[in-house]
Amino acid sequence: SDVLHLVEGRMGLFAILNEECVRPKGNDTSFVSKVRTVHKDVTCLVQNRLYRPIEFGIVHYAGKVTYDATLFVQKNNDALPKDMLECAR
């Protein structure tokens, strides 16, 4: 239940990622920084000083898993393909 709240909760990972996507200068490093700040007291979020600024960890059913957030923001953007944009013009 803690992991589910961390991922899908009101200020969970998905909500923070969506917020970063709408910010003009949103990026992966600021996403991870916000996750670490907002969820600093959540026990299933791993706060490891050895992690790079783009990494975070979660302890869940598979054990401790380290995530590299490189391209999270870019991949989460809902941009239309170029050919679809051209059809809309």
Side-chain angles (χ1 to χ4, degrees):
S1 128
D2 287 340
V3 174
L4 194 56
H5 181 70
L6 172 67
V7 175
E8 296 181 353
R10 193 171 135 255
M11 280 302 294
L13 298 179
F14 290 148
I16 295 171
L17 182 58
N18 286 333
E19 182 181 301
E20 278 302 301
C21 289
V22 298
R23 288 185 54 235
K25 294 188 180 192
N27 62 66
D28 302 320
T29 304
S30 63
F31 161 68
V32 173
S33 177
K34 284 182 184 177
V35 167
R36 290 178 180 170
T37 301
V38 170
H39 297 288
K40 66 181 177 225
D41 297 327
V42 176
T43 58
C44 59
L45 181 70
V46 179
Q47 300 278 358
N48 190 329
R49 294 181 324 198
L50 300 178
Y51 283 164
R52 295 178 303 144
I54 203 91
E55 295 177 327
F56 63 95
I58 299 176
V59 178
H60 50 68
Y61 70 93
K64 183 176 105 175
V65 178
T66 301
Y67 294 91
D68 183 328
T70 302
L71 299 178
F72 272 29
V73 172
Q74 180 181 345
K75 289 179 180 181
N76 194 58
N77 277 326
D78 295 328
L80 291 172
K82 290 181 183 179
D83 57 340
M84 294 290 289
L85 289 174
E86 290 175 12
C87 288
R89 290 181 190 179

